[in-house]
Amino acid sequence: MDGDDHFMRAALVMAREAELLGEVPVGAVVVKDGVIIGRGRNSSVGLSDPSAHAELLALRDAAQRLGNYRLTGCELFVTLEPCLMCAGAMFHARIARVIFGASDPKTGVCGSVLDLFSERRLNHHTTASSGVLAVECGQMLSDFFVARRAQLRTDTYS
């Protein structure tokens, strides 16, 4: 198993934790020098916080551990293509590389809706890589939303 797969599996563990709490199953880890220094899982519902995406929570965790909001030389592994808000935080933190699993055709800014990571006018450039364990990451999300829709139908007709 290569390093990217290993760290994406750690992000999948975080996604599973989010799912068990009724959150959209997205997980993220921040890695520096081959060591996980930050972890996050979607927590917007539980925290009543629209900014509590997995990526932001992982960045916050890593920054606290390092005692610095600049995460130079760090990589962020996330199970779903980042949104605009999360990408902005990655740029501000100076993340070197973001690696994501499943593409997000509705809000993804690593090429799906926009490609913010190829925008040369920005003052910091983060490399984006896609498709690491994409099938597993995408299946977890698909299964979650199928179950959610089924539950909504059951609730509607109860």
Side-chain angles (χ1 to χ4, degrees):
M1 177 185 328
D2 76 357
D4 285 358
D5 282 4
H6 172 76
F7 293 121
M8 189 61 74
R9 289 197 189 288
L12 278 164
V13 168
M14 298 306 297
R16 182 68 63 206
E17 287 182 16
E19 181 177 38
L20 292 172
L21 295 170
E23 303 278 352
V24 175
V26 178
V29 296
V30 176
V31 175
K32 184 171 180 70
D33 300 326
V35 176
I36 295 174
I37 62 164
R39 297 175 192 272
R41 65 180 188 287
N42 269 6
S43 299
S44 293
V45 174
L47 295 177
S48 298
D49 180 354
S51 73
H53 287 196
E55 300 96 309
L56 292 183
L57 297 178
L59 291 171
R60 289 175 187 155
D61 188 31
Q64 287 296 308
R65 288 177 194 236
L66 293 181
N68 191 342
Y69 75 101
R70 295 286 197 216
L71 301 175
T72 306
C74 293
E75 298 176 310
L76 189 142
F77 290 79
V78 60
T79 58
L80 181 65
E81 181 179 0
C83 71
L84 183 61
M85 173 181 68
C86 293
M90 288 176 218
F91 291 143
H92 191 65
R94 302 299 193 257
I95 291 292
R97 180 174 170 238
V98 60
I99 304 90
F100 66 93
S103 294
D104 186 348
K106 294 185 178 184
T107 65
V109 296
C110 296
S112 290
V113 176
L114 297 173
D115 191 356
L116 220 55
F117 290 83
S118 69
E119 178 55 61
R120 302 295 15 141
R121 292 175 290 178
L122 296 172
N123 69 327
H124 175 71
H125 301 136
T126 296
T127 303
S129 302
S130 64
V132 176
L133 302 181
V135 172
E136 291 176 53
C137 294
Q139 192 63 55
M140 183 182 290
L141 286 158
S142 293
D143 292 348
F144 173 82
F145 285 112
V146 165
R148 172 74 52 95
R149 285 189 291 276
Q151 183 62 45
L152 288 174
R153 282 192 300 275
T154 301
D155 291 347
T156 301
Y157 298 111
S158 297

